[in-house]
Amino acid sequence: MEQRTMPGGYSTPKAVTADIQTMVQKLKADIVKQMGCAPKIFHAISYRSQTVAGTNYSVKIVVGDGDEYIHVDIFEPLPVYGSGFELKTVETTKRLFDDL
């Protein structure tokens, strides 16, 4: 049975698209600064989204060998309110099976 997303809630996690990977790469310098160290690897693997007055994204990113991941929260406003992406939070010491 397919899970339904609650209206206004986050989607179920999905595989990363080229657009999500591009968004994450544009924010890489800000993400690394908040991490406090340069990652060995930097590749988004999954995300979920929430539509509000724009779109909130939660993204899981591989940052090292083995089981080293981070979760980042990013906001993209509606075009009428501006353009670009805003990094909201960076959560370190995450693992592959940690929920977004």
Side-chain angles (χ1 to χ4, degrees), residues 45-46 60 62 67-69 71 94-99:
I45 62 164
S46 64
K60 184 182 295 274
V62 178
D67 199 21
E68 298 175 51
Y69 298 83
H71 293 172
K94 294 296 183 177
R95 302 291 177 231
L96 178 60
F97 295 108
D98 287 345
D99 290 334

Side-chain angles (χ1 to χ4, degrees), residues 4-71:
R4 293 185 179 231
T5 302
M6 181 173 61
Y10 273 94
S11 66
T12 56
K14 305 174 216 171
V16 167
T17 64
D19 289 341
I20 298 297
Q21 197 67 252
T22 298
M23 174 181 65
V24 167
Q25 290 301 320
K26 286 181 180 179
L27 293 170
K28 183 177 179 179
D30 294 332
I31 294 168
V32 170
K33 183 177 180 181
Q34 284 196 29
M35 288 175 63
C37 62
K40 295 177 186 175
I41 301 168
F42 192 84
H43 185 77
I45 62 164
S46 64
Y47 78 101
R48 61 188 186 136
S49 61
Q50 175 190 36
T51 302
V52 289
T55 306
N56 288 317
Y57 297 96
S58 288
V59 185
K60 184 182 295 274
I61 302 171
V62 178
V63 293
D65 299 331
D67 199 21
E68 298 175 51
Y69 298 83
I70 61 171
H71 293 172

